[in-house]
Amino acid sequence: MRVGLIVDSACDLPYEFRRKHDLFVLPITATIDHQTYIDEHDPVRTQEFYQSGLLQKGHHAETQAFTAEQIHDLFMERIVSQFDVAICETVTRSRSLIYQNASAAMNTVMAQYREVRDAAGVEGSFSMRVIDSKQIFAGQGLLAAHTLSLLDKGLSKNALRHEVESFTDRIYTCVIPRDLHYIRERARRRGDKSVSALVAFLGRALNITPVIFGQGAEGQPVAKTRSFEVAVEKVINYAIGRVEAGLLTPYVSLSCGLSWPEIEELPGINRLRDACERQGVELLLSQMGITSSIYLGPGSVCLALGAERHHFNDFQ
């Protein structure tokens, strides 16, 4: 039985990891200064965007989910004849229409897939499941890595779905937004009131860099620092402490809206690498994709790991 894992381009993972495991990336449309781009999380295109400055503030940038019809066509062309079972994990439905549109596409695919498989000479039935990851960016990446490890165990389809959906509630995410004003403006245009004007004002006027922590996409400020570097150190210290205390899956996912030289200069990054290596944990370090950079703003950082219930300050 051939099982395929689909993620969308809001999912941040290292390119080599995605290539090694043959992950299919569902694209997202990005519109920057009235120019439309298709974000497939291609590393070359992403690097071009960073170098061009199109992801910097001052440019009008928006993202839009593919329609149900576009996703249907992709699934029919690229998925139904290649796999017998497909799992599609999307960015949290509270932040995007991708889950809704992918679910609608799945329903039409399941009604029409037989003709495509017959034409390709592929025997047997096809099944598909769309799962709301309840995560953003690095959190999506962590869930995808954990799902791949579950696939290696040969679980039944129902058991696999149960394990994946249960694990989504055990992922903890840290976000360091570089520019709260950028975040507030993006949220305002989306109609998202989760970032208050007051917090954005304080961040801009007093140069406060917060650490936002929580399960999945629902986080709260747990630290307010006077510099990005101090915020990064707090998150790295948290991650090292949690790694040493034990994780529920042997991965830490870290995505950064920075150039690679800037990523390598992050305070504590080598200490985190060393801690992961000592504990047999793989650090999934990636450059934040176009979609996640537009959402959080360039220069932002997102870290995710899976663990038992705890608090951020337990590891400071």
Side-chain angles (χ1 to χ4, degrees):
M1 181 174 66
R2 300 168 302 165
V3 183
L5 180 58
I6 304 165
V7 296
D8 58 53
S9 56
C11 176
D12 284 335
L13 276 171
Y15 171 72
E16 288 301 323
F17 185 91
R18 287 188 285 113
R19 190 174 66 85
K20 175 183 176 181
H21 295 284
D22 196 26
L23 296 187
F24 180 85
V25 178
L26 182 62
I28 294 174
T29 301
T31 303
I32 304 175
D33 293 342
H34 307 294
Q35 293 292 317
T36 299
Y37 307 87
I38 302 301
D39 179 17
E40 297 178 297
H41 221 306
D42 175 77
V44 175
R45 170 57 65 88
T46 300
Q47 189 61 32
E48 289 174 352
F49 269 76
Y50 276 96
Q51 293 174 347
S52 69
L54 283 175
L55 295 178
Q56 298 296 322
K57 62 183 178 181
H59 295 276
H60 182 82
E62 297 287 346
T63 57
Q64 185 176 12
F66 264 34
T67 65
E69 292 76 14
Q70 288 174 305
I71 297 173
H72 166 92
D73 291 345
L74 281 173
F75 286 169
M76 294 290 279
E77 294 169 7
R78 305 279 299 278
I79 301 298
V80 300
S81 62
Q82 184 175 350
F83 302 107
D84 303 311
V85 177
I87 301 166
C88 178
E89 296 176 349
T90 73
V91 66
T92 177
R93 72 172 85 182
S94 66
R95 297 289 190 267
S96 171
L97 291 176
I98 297 174
Y99 173 82
Q100 176 181 316
N101 292 352
S103 296
M106 175 190 69
N107 292 333
T108 58
V109 165
M110 292 304 298
Q112 302 172 15
Y113 76 81
R114 178 61 65 185
E115 182 178 346
V116 172
R117 285 174 73 88
D118 287 346
V122 179
E123 297 180 354
S125 61
F126 172 80
S127 65
M128 189 172 195
R129 172 68 62 176
V130 177
I131 296 174
D132 174 9
S133 74
K134 302 179 185 177
Q135 309 299 318
I136 55 172
F137 320 138
Q140 282 181 267
L142 184 79
L143 181 63
H146 182 66
T147 301
L148 290 169
S149 69
L150 292 173
L151 291 176
D152 290 339
K153 296 181 178 180
L155 300 176
S156 69
K157 288 185 291 185
N158 288 336
L160 177 64
R161 184 182 75 248
H162 173 74
E163 290 291 330
V164 170
E165 291 179 341
S166 297
F167 187 73
T168 60
D169 295 323
R170 307 177 89 175
I171 296 176
Y172 289 83
T173 303
C174 298
V175 173
I176 306 173
R178 197 64 173 268
D179 185 336
L180 280 175
H181 180 66
Y182 176 96
I183 293 272
R184 188 183 75 85
E185 287 302 304
R186 284 277 298 131
R188 182 183 61 80
R189 289 197 293 268
R190 293 193 310 271
D192 181 353
K193 299 180 181 178
S194 61
V195 181
S196 73
L198 177 61
V199 171
F201 171 78
L202 289 174
R204 181 172 53 170
L206 302 180
N207 196 32
I208 288 175
T209 301
V211 175
I212 300 170
F213 172 77
Q215 289 175 282
E218 305 306 321
Q220 298 293 329
V222 291
K224 294 182 180 179
T225 69
R226 289 302 183 94
S227 75
F228 175 75
E229 289 73 20
V230 172
V232 170
E233 284 191 301
K234 283 185 173 292
V235 169
I236 294 294
N237 289 340
Y238 157 77
I240 291 172
R242 189 62 257 189
V243 165
E244 292 174 344
L247 301 175
L248 296 177
T249 195
Y251 302 101
V252 170
S253 179
L254 176 60
S255 65
C256 309
L258 301 163
S259 68
W260 279 110
E262 290 172 322
I263 292 173
E264 291 300 329
E265 292 297 322
L266 287 174
I269 189 68
N270 288 326
R271 287 194 296 114
L272 178 57
R273 282 193 176 106
D274 292 342
C276 288
E277 185 174 355
R278 287 194 303 270
Q279 300 298 325
V281 171
E282 184 174 356
L283 177 60
L284 301 171
L285 179 61
S286 64
Q287 191 174 47
M288 199 171 274
I290 294 169
T291 296
S292 41
S293 275
I294 289 175
Y295 189 98
L296 287 178
S300 299
V301 170
C302 184
L303 179 141
L305 49 79
E308 300 289 358
R309 185 173 297 277
H310 64 279
H311 301 285
F312 181 82
N313 287 331
D314 294 342
F315 299 95
Q316 290 299 304

